[in-house]
Amino acid sequence: MRRLRHLLYLLLILAALAALALALVVQPFVAPRPSHPPAADPQRLRADVKYLSVDLYPRSYDQFDNIDLAACHIHEQLRLTGAQVSYQDVVVEGVTYRNVIARFGPQNGPLRVIGAHYDSFADVGRDSDDERGYSPKTHTPGADDNASGVAGLLELARLLGRSPQTRPIELVAYTLEEPPHFRSEHMGSAWHARALREAGREVEFMLSLEMIGRFSDRPGSQRYPVRGMHWLYSDRGDFVVVTGRMSDFGATRRIKAAMAGAGDLPVYSINAPPLLVQGVDFSDHLSYWHEGYPALMVSDTAFLRSNTYHQASDTYDKLDYARMAKVVQAVYAVTQQP
């Protein structure tokens, strides 16, 4: 009888630990906070993605003219929203690249930062078989990665510009997220995060928009980095995910609630150590972690869903702009939360 009792205690402890892990990692009981954000425009999103991935192809670090034209285009589009827009120089190995920053709302108070990188991936060490030094073989169009995030940022700016903002918000288009600068001090987001820390600026949260355009209703279209995760999430790539560290648990709950209440797009979340779950830190939010700021990623899960990741096939015609618009509306809801 004593052995049976001990076994029952052990099972109860294991069940409690499993329930706690589920709550920490997946956060299944977050109640949506209903709101009615203004409608984002799928056609404008498509036009922005096409311009960045076709007209400005390739916009990688080694193609300076195009990456600088991308910065100029983003600056002009943000200026048209009525935002206060500026460049931030990012000087790497003697070359000056540029972040683009749009400010809304009052100057003082805890800052809400939403950002997306505008450079695209290039395999510079590979022979392109083209006299220009690039081709789809070496330089991706980068439609989902990350023209989608930048297009979302521009559309978000248009929504924010419709009315005075009561809280300070910065939208930042980052340069140099992709290799060889990925995860380094040279990332545009690292320059921005360091500048905020050096200025002593309080940051309420940072959101990185990292690939928000690929969706699928096909069963089995969603993959996961850890075995068994498919039991906790959908097997269809029909959702957007909010990703953060364990220490950003509270911020994840608040942001997930705001996004889930903004429409009918499914919103999942995960808080996990990067060492255990691949991809948790694969974007510009990492730079803000390094400066001690709460930071999260909003994503379509990138290579866990898309078979065009860092490929020539990452083209604008493969994205779902109707659901991209819902992501933008959901992020707008986050900017408006109390």
Side-chain angles (χ1 to χ4, degrees):
M1 179 64 70
R2 181 178 296 175
R3 183 176 297 175
L4 178 61
R5 188 182 298 115
H6 287 167
L7 179 60
L8 289 174
Y9 286 154
L10 178 61
L11 290 174
L12 286 172
I13 291 171
L14 290 175
L17 289 173
L20 178 61
L22 178 67
L24 288 174
V25 173
V26 183
Q27 305 189 350
F29 304 117
V30 173
R33 185 182 298 116
S35 65
H36 302 284
D41 187 339
Q43 294 306 313
R44 279 197 305 242
L45 289 167
R46 180 185 176 93
D48 284 329
V49 171
K50 183 178 180 182
Y51 184 76
L52 288 166
S53 61
V54 177
D55 296 76
L56 297 183
Y57 169 81
R59 56 186 197 284
S60 51
Y61 81 98
D62 63 311
Q63 302 295 320
F64 181 81
D65 288 347
N66 276 6
I67 200 171
D68 200 55
L69 284 172
C72 293
H73 170 73
I74 293 165
H75 187 286
E76 177 61 12
Q77 292 302 306
L78 291 172
R79 186 191 66 79
L80 292 173
T81 70
Q84 179 186 349
V85 187
S86 62
Y87 290 114
Q88 179 188 28
D89 287 349
V90 175
V91 184
V92 178
E93 298 178 351
V95 180
T96 301
Y97 301 89
R98 297 190 286 185
N99 290 336
V100 189
I101 303 171
R103 297 178 178 88
F104 295 88
Q107 293 295 316
N108 299 318
L111 187 62
R112 299 176 175 187
V113 179
I114 299 94
H117 74 88
Y118 66 86
D119 61 320
S120 59
F121 175 76
D123 187 357
V124 175
R126 185 178 181 184
D127 184 5
S128 67
D129 296 330
D130 190 295
E131 62 181 11
R132 298 172 300 177
Y134 64 85
S135 72
K137 182 178 177 181
T138 57
H139 290 64
T140 176
D144 195 28
D145 185 18
N146 188 33
S148 67
V150 176
L153 198 72
L154 296 179
E155 187 66 4
L156 176 61
R158 296 177 187 117
L159 301 185
L160 290 171
R162 293 182 182 181
S163 59
Q165 298 301 310
T166 60
R167 294 173 179 82
I169 299 169
E170 281 194 4
L171 306 186
V172 191
Y174 306 114
T175 190
L176 303 188
E177 190 269 356
E178 295 287 2
H181 307 294
F182 180 58
R183 303 178 69 85
S184 80
E185 64 181 359
H186 300 310
M187 292 171 68
S189 55
W191 282 70
H192 184 255
R194 283 196 302 268
L196 292 177
R197 175 57 64 201
E198 290 167 1
R201 192 66 193 268
E202 181 182 356
V203 174
E204 184 179 348
F205 61 78
M206 180 271 177
L207 288 184
S208 174
L209 306 185
E210 178 63 65
M211 304 180 64
I212 59 171
R214 289 300 295 264
F215 295 91
S216 175
D217 297 314
R218 179 177 57 82
S221 56
Q222 183 64 51
R223 301 181 297 277
Y224 294 97
V226 177
R227 183 176 297 178
M229 286 183 68
H230 66 284
W231 294 109
L232 304 177
Y233 300 95
S234 173
D235 72 334
R236 303 168 190 257
D238 60 355
F239 61 89
V240 68
V241 66
V242 181
T243 302
R245 303 168 294 180
M246 301 301 292
S247 59
D248 290 328
F249 179 80
T252 303
R253 288 182 63 85
R254 293 190 299 273
I255 287 167
K256 180 180 182 179
M259 291 182 66
D264 59 1
L265 181 70
V267 180
Y268 290 92
S269 63
I270 181 170
N271 290 92
L275 290 177
L276 295 181
V277 180
Q278 183 189 32
V280 168
D281 58 349
F282 280 13
S283 190
D284 291 295
H285 58 304
L286 176 65
S287 298
Y288 295 82
W289 291 355
H290 289 163
E291 300 300 330
Y293 291 127
L296 304 164
M297 175 173 61
V298 175
S299 177
D300 60 18
T301 76
F303 53 84
L304 296 172
R305 179 179 304 173
S306 172
N307 58 3
T308 66
Y309 179 75
H310 284 182
Q311 303 294 320
S313 51
D314 184 12
T315 52
Y316 77 94
D317 55 302
K318 295 184 175 67
L319 304 192
D320 185 327
Y321 295 99
R323 281 191 269 202
M324 263 185 72
K326 293 181 180 181
V327 176
V328 175
Q329 291 163 199
V331 174
Y332 175 87
V334 173
T335 69
Q336 303 303 298
Q337 64 182 345

